[in-house]
Amino acid sequence: MRYWSFEAGFGYDNLVLREGDSPTPGPREVLVGMRAASLNFRDLVVLRGQHGRAVQPPLIPLSDGVGEVLAVGAAVTGFAAGDRVSPVFFQNWEGGAPPRDLEIGRLGGPLDGVLATDRVFPASGLVHVPSHLSDAEAATLPCAGLTAWSALFGEAPMRVGETLLILGTGGVALMALQLAKSAGIRTIVTTSSAEKAARVSAMGADLVIDRSVTEDWAKAARAASDGGVDRVLELGGAATLPHSIKATRVGGQIILVGNVTGNTAELFLPAILTRQMTLRSVTVGSKQGFEALNRALAAHEIHPVVGQTVAFDDAPEAFRALEAQATFGNICVQIGD
């Protein structure tokens, strides 16, 4: 077994490649040979040591991945050698309301993640992945893919003909665009360059707002949606949230997912209170949600967007690529053949 691990601390200097014995699955566990992994913004937060006291080294990073079942424990049903599977981001959330101890079940911190050639998982923490997807595509699903699904179709599912405003063109945003189009939802996407705007338009976005040209994107989105959008996929955080409120209709929803622009936002509360708006957070989702996402992907033959793939031995370069924010689509690590 080979694996990347944060050893004495976090940061690039502490991310080292190690070798060890391949783990043996217990009675209710499954041994998975990992094939690919995918990075999220959260993985940069872990790299920087900013994910809180519960996430400590030594730690195998990354939550999103796919692999092949190599062996199963004696009490395992539903999985067999050769099955292609992904681990669930929250290993302790089957479905329904999240458990009170939700945070202790996250892969990639505090639990060891998937940046390894071999990993053992509880059988209850795995799902089969759609057969039409490549390994890299399937690797993007456990966090980024499921977050997009939960934001659109989890609590209070969106309906045909409603308008969704998506901020940015990261992995969650692009999956949300694809899912929305498959469900007949009108989409408005903001982006930061003409090149990205062209690529999002080619993916089927109904309207693309290039922030480098249109500074007041909230006003533009509101004007293009008859008084405001039905829902905002809020991926920016502190700097974008006040603008998202302006773009949303009376009675609309803002789904809080990301905080890449900061953690502390100053809000004009009357803009929310007098317009019957809902601010709701989404934290990935449950195993049942993951299974629902996979059914939708298979039914519509949706392929997640993979922008760059890095070799396993060069895994730190994947973190650097994500930091550079120059890649359109998910950044993946190829682990197995």
Side-chain angles (χ1 to χ4, degrees):
M1 170 184 174
R2 303 171 70 225
Y3 61 98
W4 285 92
S5 177
F6 291 112
E7 292 291 303
F10 293 105
Y12 288 107
D13 291 343
N14 290 301
L15 182 57
V16 296
L17 183 58
R18 297 294 193 197
E19 293 191 10
D21 295 332
S22 182
T24 300
R28 293 178 174 80
E29 294 179 329
V30 176
L31 174 63
V32 178
M34 301 305 301
R35 290 184 177 180
S38 180
L39 280 75
N40 300 285
F41 178 76
R42 173 181 180 265
D43 299 309
L44 291 181
V45 177
V46 173
L47 171 77
R48 296 163 183 165
Q50 299 172 343
H51 211 291
R53 289 175 292 180
V55 178
Q56 297 293 330
L59 177 71
I60 298 173
L62 307 193
S63 60
D64 284 17
V66 68
E68 178 183 346
V69 173
L70 301 179
V72 300
V76 171
T77 59
F79 297 101
D83 288 355
R84 201 166 61 134
V85 297
S86 278
V88 180
F89 180 88
F90 285 112
Q91 291 283 291
N92 58 342
W93 189 4
E94 173 70 23
R100 291 181 179 270
D101 61 351
L102 179 68
E103 293 186 351
I104 69 172
R106 295 177 304 208
L107 291 179
L111 300 180
D112 278 332
V114 300
L115 197 52
T117 57
D118 303 283
R119 286 284 283 115
V120 162
F121 301 99
S124 60
L126 294 171
V127 299
H128 292 95
V129 296
S131 59
H132 75 286
L133 299 180
S134 70
D135 289 338
E137 291 169 342
T140 69
L141 301 179
C143 180
L146 180 53
T147 297
W149 174 264
S150 298
L152 273 61
F153 306 114
E155 185 179 334
M158 292 196 73
R159 294 171 292 187
V160 173
E162 290 189 322
T163 299
L164 171 69
L165 172 60
I166 302 170
L167 304 192
T169 54
V172 176
L174 295 180
M175 176 55 73
L177 171 60
Q178 292 174 292
L179 291 170
K181 296 307 297 180
S182 73
I185 295 166
R186 182 170 179 263
T187 53
I188 302 174
V189 181
T190 69
T191 189
S192 59
S193 71
E195 179 185 358
K196 290 181 179 179
R199 297 192 67 171
V200 172
S201 292
M203 291 179 63
D206 294 289
L207 174 66
V208 182
I209 302 172
D210 182 353
R211 300 191 309 274
S212 68
V213 177
T214 305
E215 183 176 355
D216 194 346
W217 52 266
K219 181 179 180 180
R222 188 177 181 87
S225 53
D226 191 24
V229 301
D230 296 289
R231 187 169 301 192
V232 179
L233 185 55
E234 172 49 72
L235 294 154
T240 57
L241 181 55
H243 303 283
S244 292
I245 293 170
K246 293 178 183 178
T248 306
R249 69 166 173 81
V250 172
Q253 286 196 36
I254 297 174
I255 308 300
L256 304 172
V257 174
N259 58 345
V260 297
T261 65
N263 297 326
T264 304
E266 183 173 334
L267 303 178
F268 182 64
L269 290 179
I272 303 171
L273 299 175
T274 63
R275 294 164 60 211
Q276 197 71 18
M277 292 171 57
T278 299
L279 274 66
R280 179 167 60 85
S281 68
V282 163
T283 307
V284 191
S286 68
K287 177 181 177 180
Q288 291 177 6
F290 196 172
E291 292 169 333
L293 164 66
N294 287 338
R295 290 192 295 270
L297 295 178
H300 297 284
E301 295 189 352
I302 295 172
H303 290 266
V305 180
V306 175
Q308 182 177 352
T309 302
V310 174
F312 180 70
D313 286 357
D314 299 324
E317 296 307 311
F319 286 88
R320 292 188 172 94
L322 185 58
E323 281 187 312
Q325 298 184 23
T327 301
F328 184 87
N330 295 276
I331 297 170
C332 297
V333 178
Q334 188 67 40
I335 300 174
D337 297 331

